[in-house]
Structures are given as structure tokens and as C-alpha cells.
Amino acid sequence: MAAPAAATARAQALSLLAAANNHGDLAVKLSSLRQVKEILLSLEPSLSAEIFPYLAELHLSREILVRKSLIEIIEEVGLRMLDHSYVLVSVLLVLSRDEDPTVAKKSISVGTTFFCTILEEMAMQFHHRGKVDRWCGELWTWMVKFKDTVFATALEPGCVGVKVLALKFMETFILLFTPDASDPEKASSEGSRHMFNISWLAGGHPILNPATLMSEANRTFGILVDFIQSANRLPGALTISVISCLAVVARKRPVHYNTVLSVLLEFHPNLETVKGCHAASVQYSIRTAFLGFLRCTFSPIIESRDKLLRAFRAMNAADVADQVLRQVDKLVRNNERAARENWSGKNNQVISHQNSWDLSKKRIMPQGEDDTINGEVAPKRVRHNTNMHLTQQVQTNESLQGPVSINGISSGNHLSDSELTPVEQMVSMIGALLAEGDRGAASLEILISKLHPDMLADIVITSMKHLPSTPPTLASSVATPADIVVSSSTNTVHSPTPPAQLPFDPILPAGSSFSEVPSLSSSVADPRRDPRRDPRRMDPRRLNSSVGPTSLPVGEGKESVPVQKDISTLLSKPVSVSAVTPGATGSVHSTAVELSQNKMMGSSGIRIIDPPECREDLLTVPNECSYPSKEISSLDVPLSPCRDDEGIRETKYSVPDLDMLSVPDFDQHSPSASVPDFDQDPPAASDITAPEESYRELDPVPSYVELTTEQSKTVGKLAIERIIESNRHVFGFDCNKIRMALIARLIARIDAGSDVATILRELISVDHREFKGHDLVLHVLYHLHSMAILDTDESSFYATVYENFLISVARSFLDALPASDKSFSRLFGEAPHLPDSAINLLDELCSTRHDPVGKEVCDSERVTQGLGAVWSLILVRPNERKACLAIALKCSVHSEEEVRAKAIRLVTNKLYHLTYIAEHVEQFATDMLLTAVNSETNLSQTASTAEGIKMEAKSQITLTTESLGSGNSDIPSQQDLQTSREVSVISISEAQRLISLFFALCKKKPSLLRLVFEVYGRAPKMVNQAFHRHIPILIRELGSSYTELLQIISDPPKGSENLLTYVLQILTQELAPSLDLIATVKHLYETKLKDVSILIPLLSSLTKDEVLPIFPPLLNLPPEKFQLALAHILQGSAHTGPALTPAEVLIAIHDIVPEKDGPPLKKITDACSACFEQRTVFTQQVLAKALGQMVDRTPLPLLFMRTVIQAIDAFPTLVDFVMEILSKLVRKQIWRLPKLWPGFLKCVSQTKPHSFPVLLELPVPQLESIMKKFPDLRPSLTAYANQPTIRSSLPNSALSVLGLDNGQDSRSQMHPSDATSSIHGAALT
Amino acid sequence: MRFRYAMVCSSNQNRSMEAHALLKRQGLDVASYGTGSHVKLPGPSLREPNVYDFGTPYKQMFDELRRKDPELYKRNGILQMIKRNLSVKLAPQRWQDNAGDGVFDVVMTFEEKVFDSVLEDLNNREQSLTKTILVMNLEVKDNHEEAAIGGRLALELCQEIEGNETWEDTIDDIVAGFEKQHRRKLVYSISFY
């Protein structure tokens, strides 16, 4: 633009600004401002900048809209001419505290943009030119102030809207200054703009100090976390924003994920009470955050899925979560499939197009140069260097449209290939920090401390892929093994960095070393690509890739020996490195090297190097450098061509560092000491391509040696031992976590479950009680399991490792720990998955087996332990529920009573309560019961065909068990055989075995008893005996809750009468039967079951009125039953007294009329006799009372006279009473009752002479007939009557019968003998 | 016309369009979207819905359905609805595919699933503007009557928000007040551009 025009524009702008400032009309002000903006944009930056101070004054304008427009102008103009925007930025700072929230908000968001832009600019400048412009530094000071202001805004009270944005700024700040280890797929999808990240700063930025910034980011993160924890006092909008920001941080920076997750999980504020806080929305924001986590696929998040799902369940949002999970899993699977396909494709391509790769590289080099010059492309470029240089490369190729054959290859493959995993990114980050020396150390420590242990372990394990072949040679090679260059699957070359060397270098002060070096070790290889699957593994060239030293020492046998010693002593130092086996140390060296290599990737702009070539390049170096002196010179060689060819700038970088580094190494005369110098500085790395050309033709040295399975197992085992050993000295939570992760990965790599378990056993079992061991085991298990799941192709491999490990650990618990220890159950309960063999182990534990050796004979405590485990598994592991249930049930019919009792307790008291298995349990118990019942029936029917029954029984049981648990079919079948054999000769103990469970269940569910009643009729005697043993206990247990029983009683199945009676007996034995029971039984008696014997047990509780009607049938029972009934009747209950008094019983007996009620006379007489037998009950008084009552009856009971006679027989002292009875009978004209009359006569005759008065009372005809019937009576009777006192009272007729009447002497003489006898008799008396 | 609103439902046909039409009539700056994978309209049976891609003009759907079964689609109100829609805008738009439509201040969704989708989508976008966006969910059943009610409620809510200088300070009270007044659940969240 010509100068005059510029001047005009300037003048115009100034006048417009004046209008904007002073004009009264807001519209004019705003339109003036718009015009100013146009002018500013059209002017040269330097000219515009002259206007900036005037523009800046507008921030004092009272008009909100003016201030807002000002910010908009600043955004648009300032960003375009950043180098002149110093004034404008200061305005932003002021306005960010503006009293108007909209202005403040606007300036914060614009300020944030400036912040990011300036940061990027500074990083770019440094990368491109090695220095940073002054204006940039000044702007940055303003930005730091801006940051402080905004942070303060977030913390101070104020407008929520502004604070929310301040929080967002904090989030941005955290993201910027926390190393980005997130999933590259996500990173690439974040958008076109690649945000600055702290990892760009590797290489010692003059202004930005990564360590400080990282620690500040951490502090900021802490502030956000604190916000959450004080959410009770915050407005809802603020809380939601914090949650949202934290969620973003967690998703983008996995380092913070666990912290965020635990904070959010523990977030249960009582928001209802907070005014101005919408609790539901806050809760929902947590849900949203968790949903977002579920969609992420990096490892800490995947590992926490269970936690998340639990949280969702708690929120009643499990279905949503499941849906998301399904989506994600599907996505992951698709990606994996795609990746696999790409790999197989790529393999061929890489090999066949070796040359084309070279070509492409050459083509791209100049293009890269252009990029660096062009400021706009630069940011992208750096980004690609760190993460996806290959992508860039391919794109570039395409843009070039060159004749390079690589372009023909699907770029998609390379794309996926080029994406670095989080591990790789971390590695590059670490490498970059290492390269900074002391300055980086602090940041490195922060970084490491923030790393998830899994990530750290992944890094270590990844590096192990490059384990060198033979540890000894490795060690021997050099005093500073770290110096040796290694391979990488992606690219570049390196030398070790000074810190990395330290642990191995005896000369350097140990204090300055990085103790975390081992954990840093890693390789650039993409961990997602399993090395075993990596087709390139077969590529001979790949073998070159690893450690140089391995090859070197071969020719230096002498040297190697002492050096080796050196190293071994070093290894024993407490540095954590020492934990690693010789083999592992090898990997550490290599890793260290790789780190620096990565550093280069990160910091320098090389994207041209392709992996295979690189390796070759690297190899050349060691080959060259057999002697220290040579090495240095050799170094120059590779470097120089680069510079020449490519014209890449910086030689200067290497110089200072090179000196510094090489000195110590050199002093040591380590052959490869100079290697580090080789590309000590990032920019120098770009040179690395050069050697490739010079040394391509050299034979590759096979530095990557594939270990045999045995070897790698041994190495892995040694490594584990070392780690464990080291841990004895190092105690600390973090350390522990890292150790766990490491061990888990090692175990996954070497399939040596039992061996490793042996190694771990001691540690685990000793440690287990403090749960450290447990954590370790679980960690290992989860790792293995996740490997097994993720790795669909080789699932069997990891699954086997998993299984072996689990089983051997479990066995070691059983061997080493007391039975009371919960570790075993805990292990099974918390293991991610239980294979069949685990179930078998459990089964074995529970139902032991009589080992012929007697070693394993079932230890009851172990059984308890096993059953306890079974129970907890049933509770917590739905998948294994059936199998576990089968075990429990099997034990519940175990032949050993102790085992059985325990199992039954478990099944009935615990398992049966679980609705989901109650049915199984019931079914099983029923089947067992039926087995017991049926087997003998069959046997008795066809005793000869025992074989057949065996089969039948077996099949029945097998069916049952199989229906329950499919996992352990072989064990049940053994059991079945045993069962069937015993069934054929069923004994009472066998019956007990089979039915115990059922009866135990009956306690819980009385309605089951019905089955017992049903089968009772057909059950074999032994089984019934077993029933009878169980019933009393059961009935007593049932206690009052026998309504179920009542139902059964009210409708007893056929054939169960005996059992029913037995049950009733038990029911009434100790307690008075309830009214319900009485009513039920009576009803039963009245309706279905006419057998009165069932009433016997109840008789004592019945009233007189109830007893009397059933008395006749009772009497009709067999004598012993009647006796029992009688006893019950007479016994009565405590409060009601006896149903009938003995006298009443007698009367009742006598009331029975044989013809009518059925019982034959004989029965009645027997009954009477029975009564008389109980003389303690039917006493004299009782008889008297009964007789006294009966004699008044009309008609007299049939057996009355018989009873009288019996009474007098039994109790002769009753004679007077009987005489009274007799005389009563006389008065009742007993002679008219033909059935009683003979009895009367008999009685009279038996009771003479006491009966004489009675006889004399009889009317004459009767007397006469008696005299005739019992002639021997006459003399004594006559004698009696002849007594003056008597005679006087006798009527003549009587006397005449006796022959005492004078007028009738003739008659008496007719019977002289009679008369004399009677007189004689009378005289006698 | 201070804030810019977006009404979002699943198919950008009924609920979001009802609200869109209403807010538009009231002079608010509003747009509307759907978050489903396709635009789905009821068909002759539950298993035969009419499925369209987002971006298919309402007019085209209208003609097609009228050709298919004018009686049915008149009876179930679909034709009337689409007719209303075509007077509001050209075609249904998918929320996830229209990030380029610029910055909204307030997004109203009418279904929890949609709410989740919008939030997830916002989270996946590059958040570089440092600008807040208020997302609110009001559960509204997908039928004409409920949509009409939902539209009115959305309008009321937006007007109340419009009346505030910065909604961040008052949103909790607005939401709580709304819930209390209308006895309907309302959830909000805050995301960023």
C-alpha cells in the first residue's frame, strides 16, 4: 500500500475511533467501530499497530456494546497481527474483569484463543529457529497475567457466567500442559486444529519451562477437584460446569482419569438443601460424564467399566449404559478387524516396496523444508511429527503426485499404522524430557508420578519386545550398555541420553540419575500390534533393529568378562533397574536408547524416515564403532552427508551437548560411548537418514534374537523374581501398583502359570492378608483376562495362561493357608472369570474323595471353606451359579455325614432363600427323595435285576445333576456310580443320605412335606424308618407354623395313615393340640378317614361331649390302641382336665349297645376288663360311683351285672355296696330282665351269705326259683332266715319257701335236707 | 433476539418442529434438529415406518405420503404436521451433521436420549471458542397433543431465559421454578463451544 493511502486510512481510522468514543448515538459508535476494523485489517500490520493504542482506549467506554465490539475487533485484528498485538492483549486483561458479565465472558474467551495461539507461536518459533522472538515473550508475560486473572475470577465470588468460562479456561490450561497420552484416534478426530501440547516443548524452550507448567497444570487440576468437593456451596450451573470440565480432562488426559472418576463417584452432595442448585441436573451431569467415559476406549477407562456400570445401576440408567457399551464394543471390534486387515496387507507392501519407500522419502524431504518455512503449515507439521508423521507423509506424497509407487498403496494402511498409541506418545514425551537433562528431570518426575501404573507397565513391557538374545553378551559388551542404539517400529534412531546412562555407568554419580529410568523404558512399537502377530517379525531386516552391543562383544571376548562383572554389581544396586533380569536390563538399555530416539521424533521435524531403513542405519553405527577412537570419527561420517544432501540446518545443536556427554563415556573407554553424541540433539536426528545410504550394503547384525519359548519363559520368570525381590526393599503404594502392572504383563507374556505361581506363592500368601498379594493376583488376573478377551484370535493362549495362573494360585492358597482363611473364596469371588477347572477345583475341595493314600481325605474345615466359597460364588457370580449350586447339592447328599450336614445347612439356610435357585434345590431334593423311595421298591420287586436298577438310579441322578450344572459332568457321574451301587442295597444310612436334604428343606417350606406323605405308602421300610427319624425333629422345628401341615393333615394322601398318626402323636406329645388341629383332624375323621385311631392322640384335648360319640368306635379298636385311647381320655389336658372321669368311662363303656354301634359284645367286655386291670385308676370308689349311677339307669346296661360281679371280685370290700345295688335291683324287679337276671343270680350266689338279706327281699316265686337253681343255698339261707330277728321280719310266704313256716312244714319236710341245711347254716352263722 | 435457540428431538418432525414454529412466531432466533440416524414417520403399521434421510425436503415427504395413502396420513395427522413443517423450513436437519450452523446459546431437547446425544456430540466437537451453551431437556411424548403442550412450555422457558442478562446465574432457579409451576421434570446441562 502506498504511503499516502496509508496515511489517509490512518487518519480515517482515528476519526472513526473518536466517533466511537464520543458520539452520542450508540449505533454510530458501533458502526464506526466496524469501519475501524475494516481499515485495520486492510492496513499493513505495522501501520495498524500505530492505531492500536487509540483503539485500546475504547475499553474505558461506558457502553457495554462498545466494549464488546472492541473485544471482537481485538480478536479479529490481534490474531492476524500477533506480533503487534501487545497493546490489545493488555486490554483483554483489563476487560476480563469487566463489571459487565457479557464483556468479561467475551474477553475471557478471546483471551483463551490468544493464550493458545501465543503458546503455539512460541513453540513453533523455537522449533523452527531455535529461539523465540522478543515480542512473543512479552505477549506471554501478558498471557501469564491473563491466566492469573482468570484463575482468580474462577475462585472469587462473582457472576456465575464468567466463572463458568474461567473454569473452562482452567480446563484448557490443564489440557495444554498435561502430556497428551490420549488415544490418537480421538486426537485426530478432535478437529482440524491441533491444539498445542506440552509435549511440543521438549528440547528446552527458552521461555516456557515444561516442568513448571506441568506442575501448574496439576495444581489447576487440583483446584477443579476442590471445586467439586465444595459443591455444596456452589450454584448448580457452576457445579455442572466443573463436572463437565473434569470429564473433558479425564477423557482427553487419561493420566487424570482415575482421579476424576473417583471424585465423581464419591460425589454425593446433599444438593437438595442448597438454594439455587438444581440437584437433578447436577446428578445428570455426572451421568453424562460417565456416559462419555464409557465411550472412551483407552485402558484405564475400560478397566473401570465395572465401576461405571455400578454407578449407572445406582442411577437407574443401566440400560443406557449398556447401550453405549454395546456401541463402543462394536466400534472397537470393527476397528480391530480393520487394523488386522491393514496389517496383513501392509506386510507385503512394506517388503515389496522397500525401494519405493526410499523414493518417497527423498521426494518428501524438500517438501518438509518448505513446510518449515511456511509459518502456517508449521503447527500441523509439528503435530504430525509427534503423532502421525506417516499420515503426513502419505498426504504429502499424494499432493506431490510424484511417480512414487508408494502412492499406489492404500494410504489407509499407513494411516492406521502411523498412529501412535498412548504408550508411544508417553515414550516420546519421556524421551523428550530426558533429553533436557536436569531441567527435564523435574518434569519427568511429575509426569511419572501422574502416570497410571498400567501405562507405566505397558511402557516397560513394550520395551521387552526387544529383549536381546543373550543377556550375558549384552552385558559384556560395554560398560555403558545404554549407549547402544536400538530399533523402533516406527522410525528413527538414537543414542542414549545422559540420564538414561547413569544407572549403568559406575563413574557417574548415582545421585544424579533417574531412578525411574526402568519404568520409562519402552519402545516405539505400537503395543496394539502384538509383536507375535507382527508380520514384520519375520522380516530378517527387522532382526537388525535391536541392540548394537549384542553384536559387538562377540569379537571382544576378553573385554567382556570384566565388564560383565561391573554390570552385575551395578544391577545389585538398589536402583529399581536392578529388579530386571539380565535380559530385562538389555531391554532397558535399548529402551533408553529408544527414548532418546523418540525425543527426536517429538522435537525434530523428521518424518521421512521409514522404519525398516532406520534400523539398518542404526546397525551400521555399532559396526563401525568397534573402538572408541574410531567411533567418534565414524559419527561424523553419517552426520555429514545429511547436512550436505539435505541442507538441514543445525550443526550447532549437537556441539555443546556432545561434549558434555561424550566426556564421561570416553573416559571409560567404552566402545560405543560416542554413540550418544551421534544425535544428542533433536535437530541432529534429521541427519539419521543419511547413514542409511552409506551403509545399506552391510550385513545386518542379528541383534534381535528370537528366544525359544523356554528361554523367554525363563527370562520372564527371572524378571518376575527380580521384581518381587526388589519390592521387598521398596515399599510404597505407587511402587506396588507399578510392580503389579509389570508382573501382570510379564505373566501374560510367558505362559508359565504354575511356575510363576510357585514363585509368587510365598509372596502372595504371606502378603495376602494385608491384601497386597490379593491386589497383585487380581491385577494379574484382570490383565490376563482382558488380554484373553481383547485378543480374540489367540484367546486360547491367554485363556490358558489365565486358567493356569488362577488354579495354581488357588491351589497354593489351599496348600499354604489355614482353612479359616478367606483368601481362597475372595480370589474366586473377585477373579474376572472362573474357568471350568476352577469349578472342578472347588468341587474337589468340597466333596473330597477318599484318596487311597489317605492324604486328601476330606478335611472338614476345608469342606467348610469350600462350601463358603461356593456360597459366595453363587451370590456374586451368576455365570458360575449353576455349577456352584451343583457342587453344593452334590455335597448335600454326600455319603459322609459331616460333609452332608454342612452342605445341607448351606443349602437350606442360605441358598434356598435365593429365589433364583430355590426351584433347583427343591427339584434336586425331591429327586433324591424319590430315588430313595423308588429304588427299593424296584429292588424288592425285582431283586435279581439289581443291575437294571443301578442303571436307572444312575440315569436319574445324572439327569438331575446335569440339569443343574453342566460344567462338571464327569465328577457327578462318579458320584452317581457310587450312589447307584449303594441304592441297590439301601440301608437306613443310605436312606438318610438321600432324604436329609429334603427334610431340611421341609423346615423352610412345610408344604414339601406332602410329598413325604405321598410316598410314605410305597416307600421301603428302611426309608420309612428314616422318615420316622426325621419327622419328630422336623415337626418340632416347624413349631407353631404348621398350617401347611394342617393342610396335609386335612387331606392326607392314601397310605400315609401311619405317618399321619405318628405326626399327630408328635404334635400332641408335648403341647396341647391347637383348636385348628383338633378341628382338622375331626373333620378328617368325619369326612374321609373313618379310622378313629387318628383321633387317639387328640383325645386328651377333647371334651366329654366330643369323646362320647366316638367312644364306641374307639372301643372297637384293637386292645392296645384302645388302651392308648383310654389313657389319653383319662389323662386329659392340663387345663381342661380329663375328658372323662374313670367312672364316666365305665359308664360309657356300659352305654354301648352292641347291636347298634357295631363293636361286638366281646370288645365291650374286653374293654371293661381292661378298665379293671387298671386298678390304680379304676379304684373301688370309681367302681362304686359308676355302679351307683348305672343302677339307676333304665334300662340297665347290659353288662351291668357282669361288672358288678367283676367289681366284687376285684374289690371284696365293696360287698356292702354291692348288696345295696342288689337290693336296688330287686326293687327294680330284676327278674324281669332276662339278660341281667342270670347275672344277678350269679352275683347273689357268689356273695352269700352277704346276699341273703337281698335274697330274702325277693318275691316268693323268684326266691323259690333261686332255691331251685342253687339248692345249696337253701340250708344256709334257711338257717339265716331262721334267726329270730330275721324270721320275725320275714313274710310268711318267704318263710314257707324256706320251709320255716309251720303250716308248711310238710313242704319243708319234703325237702328235709334243704331245711336242715339251712337251719344248720343259719345256726352256723 | 439476544440468544440463539435450537430445538432438538429425534426426527426433527414433531416436537422440535412444533417448538420451532412456535418460537419462530414469537420472533425468537431459533433452529431445529433431530438426532436420530434417520427421519422416521409412522407408516401403515408399526413395522413399516416411513424412513427418510435427513435433508429430504418436507415437501417431498408430503407429496410421497399423500400419494401413498392420503386417508391414513390425514387421519393420523402426519400430513398436517409435515405441511406445518414445510412452512417453517425446507428439510429436517440432523444435529450431529450441522455443527457448521454456528453457535447456539440454548438447546432444548425433548427426550433424554436426544439430550444425551446432543451433549455427547458437543463434547466430541472441538471446544475452542470458550463459549457456554445451555442444554435443557424437557420430556415430551412424541404425539401431536403432547408436542403442542411441549412447544408452549419450551417457548415459555426460552422467554424466561431470554429475560435474563446471563442465564448462568439464574438457571437453577428458572429450572426449579418451572418444575414447580408445571409439575414437569426439567434437566439442564452446560457445555461449551
Side-chain angles (χ1 to χ4, degrees), chain A residues 462-655:
Chain A
T462 310
S463 71
M464 282 187 66
K465 287 171 187 164
H466 305 283
L467 268 185
S469 56
T470 43
T473 39
L474 199 214
S476 67
S477 68
V478 251
T480 55
D483 302 353
I484 294 93
V485 174
V486 190
S487 72
S488 80
S489 61
T490 26
N491 56 358
T492 44
V493 182
H494 312 356
S495 62
T497 57
Q501 285 175 290
L502 290 177
F504 309 101
D505 191 333
I507 288 184
L508 290 176
S512 65
S513 75
F514 285 68
S515 57
E516 58 276 49
V517 164
S519 48
L520 301 180
S521 55
S522 65
S523 90
V524 196
D526 185 343
R528 280 175 311 169
R529 287 183 234 135
D530 190 320
R532 280 164 292 116
R533 248 196 274 158
D534 187 345
R536 285 181 308 175
R537 194 172 57 149
M538 306 316 290
D539 184 345
R541 266 170 307 185
R542 187 178 161 80
L543 297 180
N544 310 343
S545 65
S546 77
V547 196
T550 29
S551 60
L552 283 176
V554 181
E556 304 172 315
K558 279 186 181 174
E559 252 189 60
S560 68
V561 182
V563 179
Q564 195 172 358
K565 273 184 188 165
D566 264 355
I567 282 180
S568 58
T569 50
L570 278 170
L571 289 179
S572 63
K573 286 183 178 178
V575 192
S576 47
V577 185
S578 63
V580 189
T581 59
T585 37
S587 79
V588 173
H589 311 326
S590 62
T591 315
V593 176
E594 286 163 2
L595 290 179
S596 60
Q597 138 192 5
N598 286 308
K599 152 200 85 187
M600 325 202 80
M601 289 171 50
S603 52
S604 72
I606 323 152
R607 58 181 117 113
I608 322 91
I609 304 161
D610 73 281
E613 314 301 349
C614 279
R615 271 177 242 121
E616 285 185 1
D617 307 342
L618 291 173
L619 289 167
T620 62
V621 178
N623 278 343
E624 281 299 297
C625 315
S626 10
Y627 297 99
S629 54
K630 249 192 196 173
E631 259 175 49
I632 289 177
S633 59
S634 74
L635 260 178
D636 291 335
V637 180
L639 286 173
S640 49
C642 296
R643 288 180 208 127
D644 298 340
D645 293 348
E646 319 290 354
I648 293 182
R649 19 175 217 246
E650 294 47 325
T651 25
K652 61 178 177 185
Y653 284 109
S654 49
V655 182

Side-chain angles (χ1 to χ4, degrees), chain B residues 79-130:
Chain B
L79 285 180
Q80 295 89 317
M81 179 186 80
I82 302 182
K83 198 165 181 184
R84 189 263 325 273
N85 293 350
L86 61 87
S87 74
V88 175
K89 64 177 188 179
L90 177 70
Q93 293 164 280
R94 187 156 187 266
W95 169 264
Q96 292 92 327
D97 301 337
N98 286 277
D101 279 9
V103 175
F104 290 99
D105 297 284
V106 179
V107 176
M108 285 270 349
T109 62
F110 298 101
E111 193 179 323
E112 197 172 85
K113 205 172 73 185
V114 177
F115 185 57
D116 288 341
S117 301
V118 168
L119 287 174
E120 176 61 20
D121 179 63
L122 285 170
N123 249 329
N124 284 335
R125 293 186 191 175
E126 185 194 8
Q127 301 182 347
S128 58
L129 294 182
T130 323

Side-chain angles (χ1 to χ4, degrees), chain A residues 160 168 193 278 284 287, chain B residues 112 116 127-128 172 179 186:
Chain A
V160 178
K168 182 67 182 172
R193 181 185 145 200
H278 189 243
Y284 204 96
R287 187 190 125 146
Chain B
E112 197 172 85
D116 288 341
Q127 301 182 347
S128 58
D172 285 290
E179 282 187 326
L186 189 65

Side-chain angles (χ1 to χ4, degrees), chain A residues 243 264-265 267-269 281-291 293 312 315:
Chain A
I243 292 170
L264 292 186
L265 282 174
F267 180 68
H268 298 297
S281 296
V282 174
Q283 294 296 353
Y284 204 96
S285 69
I286 290 185
R287 187 190 125 146
T288 308
F290 287 169
L291 266 187
F293 293 160
F312 277 113
M315 293 180 213

